[in-house]
Amino acid sequence: MIRTATPADIPAVHALIRELADYEKAPDEANATPEQLHEALFGERPAAYAHIAEDDTTGEAVGYALWFLNFSTWRGVHGIYLEDLYVRPEARGAGHGKALLTELARICVERGYERLEWSVLDWNTPSIAFYEALGARPQDEWTVYRLTDEALGALGGRA
């Protein structure tokens, strides 16, 4: 079952984010706190949205999708950028990942959004195969750039 996350899901989402960071071999980089997640998802001006995949038998959260809106100047409409898609290893193969992506695609179609985009680590071949089987195609002509930490502060005027 896929459902929209509620404030009561913050501990589960936080735990799943930590698991994803471990899977992506970057546990020290996932520093978001439950309080930050609550503010981002349920604050006065939500910046992101989340859906939960539940085990059909236990009702336990076994996966999540966390996303936000982007905008295409070329198409003139919003799209969804999928920041995280994660399903616990023991729950993989049961359709939770596909159900989460299906829900986001449904939201895109319903709201007139024309893109559903995300990034995947180049070594994550199981996920790449899964995404390509759904019809997703890599955007190899683009290189992602990122400013963080000291470089962001220096450019932004922080001493």
Side-chain angles (χ1 to χ4, degrees):
M1 180 174 119
I2 305 302
R3 63 175 177 76
T4 302
T6 69
D9 293 312
I10 292 296
V13 171
H14 187 256
L16 290 163
I17 288 170
R18 301 290 308 154
E19 290 177 31
L20 173 61
D22 286 341
Y23 176 77
E24 291 186 351
K25 303 173 185 158
D28 296 334
E29 295 180 36
N31 299 313
T33 66
E35 294 77 19
Q36 289 172 313
L37 292 172
H38 188 276
E39 182 62 26
L41 295 170
F42 304 107
E44 186 176 319
R45 295 181 62 186
Y49 308 91
H51 284 80
I52 302 294
E54 289 184 339
D55 180 275
D56 293 336
T57 306
T58 66
E60 174 190 4
V62 295
Y64 77 106
L66 195 141
W67 57 277
F68 55 88
L69 294 179
N70 59 14
F71 185 81
S72 169
T73 56
W74 289 17
R75 295 195 174 220
V77 297
H78 283 293
I80 286 178
Y81 186 84
L82 176 59
E83 179 67 20
D84 290 348
L85 176 70
Y86 179 73
V87 175
R88 288 187 165 136
E90 64 272 14
R92 291 181 190 155
H96 300 294
K98 183 176 181 181
L100 285 163
L101 283 172
T102 298
E103 177 61 11
L104 297 186
R106 185 196 64 75
I107 291 169
C108 285
V109 170
E110 177 182 276
R111 297 180 186 177
Y113 303 162
E114 294 188 12
R115 290 182 178 165
L116 172 56
E117 296 180 312
W118 61 92
S119 297
V120 61
L121 292 164
D122 57 8
W123 56 259
N124 192 348
T125 54
S127 292
I128 291 168
F130 168 67
Y131 298 143
E132 289 183 354
L134 295 175
R137 295 294 169 249
Q139 301 299 298
D140 293 335
E141 67 273 15
W142 292 92
T143 300
V144 176
Y145 282 84
R146 178 177 295 157
L147 279 171
T148 61
D149 305 322
E150 293 83 20
L152 178 63
L155 186 62
R158 184 176 2 138

